[in-house]
């Protein structure tokens, strides 16, 4: 059996031709900043945490968006810093 991640974040980086999408709002850059923020956490906080790019998460009208599992918490973020804060706070919380 594969051990699940303690926290897994999916950041929509989808680009749609001729229609609004998360990548139109800098989602790829925000993803890179969020990954760097997690890597800067103490080892105990970042253990079992993964930040991944995702295709369309189906919430284009709220974009850019991300979701954290297993909690199922969604965020529509206005800046890379807001996404990084969400990811690091969620990653640092233990159940």
């Amino acid at each position: 059996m594969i051990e699940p991640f303690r926290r897994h974040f999916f950041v929509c980086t989808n680009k749609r031709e001729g229609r609004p999408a998360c990548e139109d709002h800098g989602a790829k850059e925000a993803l890179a900043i969020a990954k760097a923020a997690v890597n800067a956490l103490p080892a105990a906080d970042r253990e079992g945490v993964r930040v991944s790019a995702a295709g369309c998460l189906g919430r284009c009208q709220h974009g850019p968006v991300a979701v954290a599992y297993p909690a199922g918490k969604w965020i529509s973020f206005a800046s890379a810093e807001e996404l990084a804060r969400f990811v690091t706070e969620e990653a640092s919380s233990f159940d």
Side-chain angles (χ1 to χ4, degrees):
M1 174 176 234
I2 297 173
E3 187 69 27
F5 293 115
R6 184 174 56 79
R7 296 282 188 276
H8 198 165
F9 300 91
F10 294 94
V11 180
C12 179
T13 58
N14 195 43
K15 178 77 175 157
R16 300 185 312 168
E17 201 60 44
R19 295 185 294 168
C22 291
E23 178 47 27
D24 297 335
H25 304 284
K28 285 184 183 173
E29 293 83 9
L31 170 67
I33 290 169
K35 283 184 173 187
V38 167
N39 287 333
L41 290 172
D45 288 347
R46 71 176 181 264
E47 185 178 337
V49 175
R50 177 75 183 218
V51 182
S52 301
C56 185
L57 293 173
R59 299 290 190 257
C60 302
Q61 69 276 21
H62 301 290
V65 299
V67 61
Y69 286 106
K73 290 184 181 178
W74 287 80
I75 183 175
S76 172
F77 54 94
S79 68
E81 293 75 21
E82 184 180 1
L83 175 64
R85 187 172 45 254
F86 171 72
V87 168
T88 56
E89 286 173 3
E90 287 296 313
S92 297
S93 66
F94 290 88
D95 296 337

